[in-house]
Amino acid sequence: MADPITRPRRRFRGILVPLWLGYVFLYLPILVVVIMSFNDSENLFVWRGFSLRWYPEVFADGALMQGLGNTLVVATGATAIATVLGTLLAYGIQHYTRGGFVRAFAIAPAILPDLLLGIGLLTLFALLGITLGLHSVILAHAVFATAFVTAIVLARMASIDPSLEEASRDLGAGPVRTFLKVTLPQLAPGIVAGALLAFTLSLDEFVIAFFTTAPTQPTLPIVIYSMVRFGVTPEVNALATLLLFVSVVTVIAAQRLTRLTGSSK
């Protein structure tokens, strides 16, 4: 006679089938791109053997390298702005506000549709007379990246003991010194995690950059889009694989740093 405790486990194993089908649906196209980036053939639908020939050609393509350079400038600038603003915003929300309205309002750009945010920023730049270029893309990316940094730093602040700040002030330290000497070191893992996430999101963001950049200064996603309109080339697969590798490494690093926020409590 079967153990009655094991029966429910056997009965509900079928629930895992939709889970694995979902994983296949999400990651099979990515796996195909990675595999075909090592294809020696120029025809994406014909496998002719393993080769690394397309990876050097990525770096020999002037348009791709220009787009990559522009993207790195945008991602670095947007990350720097978002990290500073997001950290200060999270600190202000945690210490000087009550209720969830301000918190939700600060994180709202992270959940707004990219199309709406891109059109709104383009309209704002036009009203202010700001010419489009890499500077406008940096500002635009900093808007939504700040929301992600704010959310991560707020999560980190929830694990900080407020009595440490109170003890610092009781010992004679002012608000600024307390923030720099006590609060900021404890927020460091969350700040770095938010910065890594902001950099990754800015690196491959397309819609907002499409609305806020100049035609002469395209970012890498825009360059790739202009190439794939006429068909996907092996170079694009190789570049997508490189970007996937960078994104995965960055996200894993951000996740590990985020876990430190809970383990260090």
Side-chain angles (χ1 to χ4, degrees):
M1 182 176 180
D3 189 356
I5 299 179
T6 61
R7 287 181 180 177
R9 295 180 181 177
R10 295 179 180 178
R11 186 179 304 171
F12 292 102
R13 283 180 181 177
I15 297 179
L16 296 178
V17 174
L19 174 65
W20 289 110
L21 289 178
Y23 279 132
V24 171
F25 177 77
L26 291 174
Y27 293 105
L28 182 59
I30 299 176
L31 181 62
V32 171
V33 170
V34 174
I35 293 175
M36 297 310 294
S37 69
F38 299 103
N39 186 12
D40 189 48
S41 173
E42 295 183 1
N43 189 340
L44 297 179
F45 304 100
V46 178
W47 178 265
R48 291 186 178 177
F50 180 87
S51 175
L52 297 174
R53 58 177 292 194
W54 303 114
Y55 286 87
E57 294 193 15
V58 169
F59 297 98
D61 192 310
L64 288 177
M65 289 299 98
Q66 179 187 5
L68 178 61
N70 292 338
T71 296
L72 292 177
V73 170
V74 169
T76 302
T79 300
I81 296 174
T83 302
V84 175
L85 293 181
T87 301
L88 295 177
L89 184 59
Y91 183 84
I93 292 174
Q94 183 70 18
H95 288 80
Y96 303 106
T97 64
R98 294 292 183 270
F101 176 77
V102 177
R103 185 186 299 256
F105 190 76
I107 304 176
I111 59 177
L112 288 176
D114 289 346
L115 183 62
L116 176 62
L117 198 56
I119 295 175
L121 289 169
L122 176 61
T123 304
L124 177 63
F125 292 151
L127 291 175
L128 297 178
I130 299 177
T131 57
L132 299 182
L134 293 183
H135 58 283
S136 59
V137 186
I138 291 175
L139 294 175
H141 282 194
V143 170
F144 72 85
T146 298
F148 286 96
V149 175
T150 301
I152 294 177
V153 176
L154 278 173
R156 170 58 178 167
M157 294 195 71
S159 64
I160 294 179
D161 187 358
S163 62
L164 297 177
E165 294 181 347
E166 296 174 1
S168 176
R169 294 180 181 179
D170 291 340
L171 294 174
V176 176
R177 188 174 183 182
T178 298
F179 176 77
L180 295 177
K181 298 295 185 179
V182 178
T183 307
L184 193 60
Q186 297 182 87
L187 292 179
I191 294 174
V192 175
L196 291 175
L197 182 59
F199 184 84
T200 303
L201 294 173
S202 178
L203 193 67
D204 59 2
E205 203 287 322
F206 170 76
V207 177
I208 297 176
F210 182 81
F211 281 98
T212 57
T213 190
T216 57
Q217 294 179 305
T219 59
L220 185 59
I222 297 177
V223 174
I224 294 176
Y225 171 74
S226 64
M227 296 175 61
V228 300
R229 286 187 303 172
F230 306 101
V232 180
T233 64
E235 292 180 10
V236 173
N237 286 336
L239 180 60
T241 303
L242 293 175
L243 292 177
L244 175 65
F245 175 77
V246 173
S247 299
V248 169
V249 170
T250 306
V251 170
I252 291 176
Q255 184 182 21
R256 292 183 65 86
L257 287 171
T258 304
R259 287 181 178 179
L260 290 177
T261 63
S263 62
S264 61
K265 184 176 177 181

